Amino acid sequence: MIRVAVCGCAGRMGSTVVAAVDAADDMEVACGIDPAGAEYEFPVYESVDQALEGSTFDVMVDFTAPGAVAGNVAAALPIGVDCVVGTTGLSVEVLEELAERAAPGTCLFYAPNFTTGAVLMMQFAKAAAPYFPEAEVFEYHHANKLDAPSGTAVRTAQIISEARGFDSIAPGKETEIEGCEGARGALVSGVPVHSARSMGFVANQEVVFGSLGQTLSIKHVSWDRESYMPGVLLGIRSVKKLSGLVIGLEQVMG
Ligand code: NAP
């Protein structure tokens, strides 16, 4: 039985992770960690330090907030607790620094998107990138999301930039009129990224490629937070066999 601590267990994603771990045969929730508190049949602590004192667990899952995740992971990794992180907003440099603190054989697994569909969207975008001079990323999320652009959008832009091997021309960026800077999106690794926030969305992303006389759109929609759960459970099952920093669900999808 894999014993799992769920950081952010009172939140939208964390509470969905609790239900998914509960329903799996090979794992159980050892405890929750959330300063907001929550009513569960397992103990819920206010901090990771308190959880490490009061409970034992093999894996800690973190779906909290960009300002909280680094502190949480920094407390767990040196003790030898593998971490599965879905909280977005951390740079690769910060993730690398955190992973350096891990006890030997311990893994920091981060996936900016735990849905198989989004991973495939990024792989299709990687395949298309060398053939199109222009690419733009449009992402749509619920209004309470704390970071913009999304972790998935940032990762997609990086993948496109690496795969195409030429500099973006980001046409029209220079035509933004005074007072409306940003109209052509934020440049992430040279790729314009546009972030919409509104009630009604969970998480959507569309990558639009353009060349002479043609466009190619690759679109992924998460209708429900349950779409992330097979990926989160796969991450929990995989970390025991991994060590150091591992980024992306594609690393464990086989
Ligand atoms: P949410 O509903 O706001 O839940 C976050 C929870 O974490 C809240 O209950 C919050 O408590 C709690 N929290 C804050 N600081 C904490 C700490 N130090 N230790 C433990 N818990 C803490 O947010 P969400 O919609 O679930 O999203 C959480 C994160 O997951 C975001 O970064 C989001 O972008 C990311 N996400 C990732 C994926 C993916 O596939 N990788 C998918 C969806 C979402 P308070 O309310 O008291 O602050």
Side-chain angles (χ1 to χ4, degrees), residues 61-224:
V61 177
D62 190 293
F63 281 95
T64 57
V69 55
N72 293 342
V73 169
L77 283 176
I79 316 284
V81 174
D82 295 308
C83 291
V84 173
V85 172
T87 308
T88 50
L90 290 185
S91 66
V92 173
E93 291 73 27
V94 171
L95 289 166
E96 282 170 349
E97 277 170 30
L98 288 166
E100 276 169 22
R101 304 188 200 186
T106 309
C107 178
L108 169 55
F109 177 68
Y110 166 69
N113 199 309
F114 276 95
T115 60
T116 47
V119 170
L120 291 170
M121 171 188 62
M122 287 187 257
Q123 291 186 350
F124 298 155
K126 181 179 179 178
Y131 301 100
F132 291 86
E134 285 145 29
E136 310 236 347
V137 176
F138 300 82
E139 55 102 337
Y140 310 79
H141 279 81
H142 60 89
N144 294 317
K145 184 166 175 56
L146 292 182
D147 52 327
S150 73
T152 307
V154 170
R155 186 74 193 120
T156 306
Q158 288 166 347
I159 286 170
I160 291 170
S161 168
E162 287 161 15
R164 64 186 176 186
F166 52 81
D167 287 339
S168 161
I169 48 172
K173 184 79 183 158
E174 68 292 347
T175 62
E176 287 173 345
I177 60 176
E178 205 180 321
C180 297
E181 293 82 4
R184 288 285 298 112
L187 276 187
V188 180
S189 301
V191 178
V193 175
H194 311 261
S195 300
R197 296 289 175 267
S198 176
M199 290 184 286
F201 289 118
V202 175
N204 296 13
Q205 180 169 292
E206 186 168 12
V207 186
V208 180
F209 290 98
S211 76
L212 276 177
Q214 61 172 337
T215 61
L216 170 69
S217 295
I218 305 167
K219 185 176 178 185
H220 175 254
V221 179
S222 275
W223 302 103
D224 192 282

